[in-house]
Amino acid sequence: FKPEELLAQPSDDRLWAQDLPPVDEWSVQTAGKALDSLIGKLLKSRGKDIAENQSFSLVFALLQGWPRLDEETKPRIADLLADAARRLIAEVTNLKKTSSSTKQKDQ
């Protein structure tokens, strides 16, 4: 994908980066507060909030600005993404187990 394609709204309901925050202009403290807020949302939602427009746009903007980010911020973003992925994988695994045990009972 070209960057302009990623910023264009898709015709279906897929996520897209919209209203990107100006992370290049943020101080380390502002970026830290934004990450703290996002981490709180991800903990409450078991990682699902990463697929909400505001969260997705924040992460997209941070990744786009990666070369210019402070060295303290980069590991936090990596940890945040890894943690959200682990939580979602665990939930999908549980759903699959529940689904397969329900199917076995029905047979």
Side-chain angles (χ1 to χ4, degrees), residues 40-97:
K41 290 177 185 178
L42 292 174
L43 289 172
K44 290 177 187 173
S45 69
R46 295 186 190 151
K48 292 179 189 174
D49 196 74
I50 199 82
E52 296 297 323
N53 282 331
Q54 185 178 9
S55 299
F56 179 78
S57 293
L58 172 59
V59 171
F60 185 87
L62 289 167
L63 292 175
Q64 287 291 311
W66 188 267
R68 296 171 297 283
L69 293 177
D70 184 83
E71 291 303 315
E72 293 176 22
T73 305
K74 292 177 181 180
R76 292 191 68 200
I77 297 167
D79 289 344
L80 176 143
L81 291 172
D83 185 62
R86 278 191 296 273
R87 290 171 188 275
L88 290 172
I89 289 168
E91 186 160 333
V92 168
T93 302
N94 288 336
L95 288 172
K96 284 184 176 184
K97 286 179 184 177

Side-chain angles (χ1 to χ4, degrees), residues 95-107:
L95 288 172
K96 284 184 176 184
K97 286 179 184 177
T98 303
S99 176
S100 66
S101 66
T102 303
K103 285 181 184 179
Q104 289 176 355
K105 288 179 185 179
D106 290 344
Q107 293 177 355

